[in-house]
Amino acid sequence: MYLQEDTRQKNDKHNIKHECFADMSINLVRCKLPYGDYAPMPRVSVDTKENMDEIANNICGKEHQRFINECKGAKEAGCKLYILVENELGITDLSQVHIWQNPRVIYSPNCVQGPRLQKAMETISERYDVTFMFCHPNDSAKIITEIIKQYE
């Protein structure tokens, strides 16, 4: 189990609580809370990506390890993670990612292309229970709201 602890809470002043949490197999995740010192982890989170280029870089580029750590962390904390990829290419489903053509191919012939990206996304989805969704940027707020409402 995971619990959020506010970063303004001084680490060395709460050792008894921290030991009790550890004894109860509760892991603390330090983050800035808008109010209070402790809060349950969210049950759902939506991570938006500006376009296919951004998700490709997150999964197959320099951001790979950070991205995987976030997916793994969400799963371990019991938080359902949705990745909402905004795009104007008409991609609306993970099964369509294979049609994506990386515009960087002109400069870097070995860069990730749609089929490899789709396979990597499918693997991440299976391994970390991440749901990839796709939409036009104009529909993003509506979809985020719909996802969040499912968990109220």
Side-chain angles (χ1 to χ4, degrees):
M1 178 181 182
Y2 284 78
L3 188 65
Q4 294 179 65
E5 178 184 46
D6 189 73
T7 53
R8 292 166 292 193
Q9 190 80 318
K10 295 181 181 174
N11 265 333
D12 58 345
K13 300 286 184 186
H14 303 280
N15 293 336
I16 294 172
K17 278 188 284 222
H18 291 178
E19 289 173 15
C20 288
F21 287 141
D23 290 344
M24 293 185 285
S25 298
I26 296 174
N27 298 301
L28 294 177
V29 175
R30 292 182 54 82
C31 59
K32 187 173 188 302
L33 295 173
Y35 41 81
D37 295 326
Y38 298 93
M41 294 295 290
R43 292 181 19 203
V44 63
S45 185
V46 180
D47 186 1
T48 57
K49 302 300 175 187
E50 181 181 12
N51 52 39
M52 294 298 295
D53 294 355
E54 183 178 3
I55 192 64
N57 186 50
N58 285 168
I59 293 176
C60 301
K62 295 177 184 176
E63 299 291 318
H64 175 77
Q65 195 56 55
R66 180 199 56 79
F67 183 79
I68 294 299
N69 288 343
E70 285 184 17
C71 295
K72 184 178 180 183
K75 181 179 181 179
E76 289 174 355
C79 179
K80 176 63 180 168
L81 180 60
Y82 290 84
I83 308 294
L84 182 59
V85 183
E86 300 171 354
N87 71 91
E88 295 182 4
L89 305 171
I91 296 174
T92 59
D93 188 81
L94 181 55
S95 67
Q96 299 171 330
V97 171
H98 69 276
I99 66 171
W100 177 67
Q101 294 180 16
N102 192 333
R104 293 188 181 122
V105 73
I106 297 168
Y107 310 106
S108 180
N110 294 328
C111 66
V112 64
Q113 291 293 340
R116 189 170 121 214
L117 179 60
Q118 180 175 328
K119 177 66 176 148
M121 293 170 94
E122 290 168 349
T123 300
I124 290 168
S125 180
E126 292 168 17
R127 190 170 290 161
Y128 303 108
D129 193 30
V130 171
T131 298
F132 289 95
M133 299 177 73
F134 303 82
C135 71
H136 189 278
N138 294 346
D139 298 327
S140 190
K142 178 183 172 211
I143 292 171
I144 292 167
T145 304
E146 290 170 356
I147 292 168
I148 300 297
K149 282 184 178 182
Q150 293 176 28
Y151 291 85
E152 289 182 333

